[in-house]
Amino acid sequence: MPPTLKEVAKAAGVAPSTASGILTGRSDSWASESTRKRVLDAANKLGYRANRFARGLRTGTFQTVGLLVPDLLNPIYTVYARAIERVLEPAGYSLIVEESKADLEGEKQAVRKLLSSQVDGLLCFFMDYQAHYETIMNNKPKSLSMVFFGESYPDSGIDSIMIDLARGTIEAVDELIGLGHNRIGLLHGYHPGPGRGTDARLEFFRYEMAKRDIPLSEENIIVSGPTVEEAYEQFKQYLEQTDPDKRATAVFAINDIIALGVMRAAKDFGLSLPQDLSIIGVDNTPLSHYLPISLTTVSYPIKDISKTATDFLLARMKGDDEPQREVMFSSRLIRRESTAKAPE
């Protein structure tokens, strides 16, 4: 038989309620450090593990937050999860991660699952925010707090955290033009996250190019799926089928992962980087700095974004009834080795 809470309390010489407050990380537990140590030592010695589910049934709170992400193969979401966890743990909450596998139908199933799960709050990255409006507004328990990374629903009480990618995109365009590139390609497609929607980003990129009298040629717009493999195949096909005299000498990829696919396809095609082809990504994932050819990328403050979102959620879970909040973070270009002067 596993040890009970009463046995831990008896071994530590405290009341069961004191032991419970310490072992569950309850915010209203005011035990001294020496008492806390006695309880934790007794729990470790006896092999006690707190049953969050049983506690949740009694108290109505499970000390757990859910995080919905589109694609665990993209390391940017691992970075988000780690940053969120660092804020949740001191508050006594655990994090569970649900992945939609970059599939809209999978995302709908994940939303329904999380809405009926034993979680106190949800942080969500969506592929399509409007696709879940009715499900969330009709099925969200009143006690469940939510924060979105990206768009939100008007008058829903759901806070949102967004990224204004305009500054970073403008800096990327100016960087490439300043290096003499006038045939610039865009690798775009599905990109869930707190930035603006994919179509809006394409149109913004096209607009900034036109402002500088450099049109974005339709043949230099390459559509890719979310994986590095898909980006590799799409860009390899583009290189094989496009006239070298019309082919882009620089590519702006909508995230770092598909930028890696571009780099590998270019190398396998026999191009030299960045002498023959300059490449810019978005997200500033940790690996982008440590590649053999480090990646120039659009960066934004993930730690600050994660902390703000998690702080909002914790506040809502504690009963904060402030008006619905929307916070926008900016972006900037990080120059590295994958960009150079346009080839002669």
Side-chain angles (χ1 to χ4, degrees):
M1 289 287 292
T4 65
L5 179 65
K6 288 184 178 179
E7 290 172 333
V8 173
K10 182 178 179 180
V14 300
S17 59
T18 301
S20 174
I22 293 169
L23 293 171
T24 58
R26 206 168 61 223
S27 59
D28 60 353
S29 176
W30 299 101
S32 66
E33 282 304 313
S34 60
T35 300
R36 192 179 303 276
K37 186 176 185 306
R38 286 207 318 275
V39 170
L40 294 175
D41 287 346
N44 288 333
K45 184 176 180 180
L46 294 172
Y48 175 82
R49 294 292 181 270
N51 189 327
R52 287 180 181 269
F53 181 73
R55 179 181 179 277
L57 292 177
R58 292 195 306 273
T59 66
T61 176
F62 292 87
Q63 297 296 109
T64 303
V65 166
L67 172 65
L68 175 61
V69 300
D71 185 9
L72 285 173
L73 292 177
N74 188 333
I76 196 66
Y77 297 110
T78 305
V79 177
Y80 272 109
R82 182 68 60 84
I84 290 165
E85 225 170 17
R86 287 197 182 105
V87 182
L88 287 176
E89 285 181 349
Y93 286 84
S94 296
L95 182 70
I96 61 169
V97 180
E98 186 76 22
E99 179 197 19
S100 64
K101 298 178 178 62
D103 175 74
L104 184 56
E105 194 55 43
E107 186 171 88
K108 291 178 179 178
Q109 294 175 15
V111 169
R112 289 192 289 268
K113 176 181 176 181
L114 286 168
L115 288 175
S116 61
S117 296
Q118 280 74 41
V119 295
D120 303 310
L122 285 178
L123 295 159
C124 299
F125 290 93
F126 287 137
M127 293 171 58
D128 184 341
Y129 286 82
Q130 293 309 311
H132 311 296
Y133 178 82
E134 291 187 5
T135 299
I136 289 174
M137 299 310 293
N138 294 334
N139 297 285
K140 184 178 86 67
K142 289 185 178 179
S143 60
L144 180 67
S145 300
M146 300 182 75
V147 174
F148 291 166
F149 290 97
E151 303 171 36
S152 190
Y153 306 141
D155 304 317
S156 65
I158 299 174
D159 299 322
S160 62
I161 311 295
M162 294 186 286
I163 301 171
D164 184 358
L165 293 168
R167 175 184 168 185
T169 301
I170 290 170
E171 289 180 355
V173 171
D174 286 340
E175 173 77 0
L176 294 175
I177 293 174
L179 291 170
H181 296 278
N182 53 28
R183 298 200 309 271
I184 300 173
L186 177 70
L187 185 67
H188 85 113
Y190 155 72
H191 179 74
R196 301 195 183 281
T198 296
D199 289 341
R201 291 171 67 179
L202 167 60
E203 291 311 312
F204 183 76
F205 189 82
R206 192 196 304 274
Y207 170 75
E208 290 299 323
M209 293 275 287
K211 271 176 61 176
R212 291 153 178 80
D213 295 322
I214 299 181
L216 179 62
S217 169
E218 291 300 318
E219 63 189 332
N220 287 333
I221 300 175
I222 308 109
V223 180
S224 170
T227 69
V228 66
E229 293 87 359
E230 289 170 302
Y232 174 87
E233 291 299 332
Q234 288 298 321
F235 198 69
K236 179 183 175 184
Q237 181 177 314
Y238 164 79
L239 290 172
E240 292 171 345
Q241 297 179 355
T242 308
D243 184 338
D245 292 331
K246 297 179 179 179
R247 205 162 56 206
T249 59
V251 171
F252 182 72
I254 210 162
N255 66 38
D256 286 354
I257 292 303
I258 60 176
L260 299 188
V262 172
M263 295 174 84
R264 186 69 260 170
K267 292 289 286 184
D268 288 354
F269 192 72
L271 300 180
S272 296
L273 304 179
Q275 292 83 2
D276 296 327
L277 181 70
S278 289
I279 301 170
I280 297 179
V282 176
D283 287 338
N284 193 25
T285 50
L287 59 83
S288 64
H289 180 67
Y290 297 101
L291 297 169
I293 299 170
S294 61
L295 181 65
T296 297
T297 183
V298 174
S299 179
Y300 45 85
I302 291 178
K303 290 182 180 179
D304 292 341
I305 291 167
S306 301
K307 186 176 189 314
T308 300
T310 311
D311 283 344
F312 280 178
L313 188 70
L314 289 170
R316 293 295 188 193
M317 291 190 296
K318 291 177 182 177
D320 182 351
D321 60 356
E322 288 292 314
Q324 184 172 333
R325 291 167 288 212
E326 181 180 292
V327 177
M328 182 85 75
F329 286 84
S330 188
S331 59
R332 64 189 181 94
L333 185 69
I334 304 292
R335 294 169 179 83
R336 296 196 179 112
E337 297 170 338
S338 66
T339 45
K341 289 184 178 181
E344 294 294 333

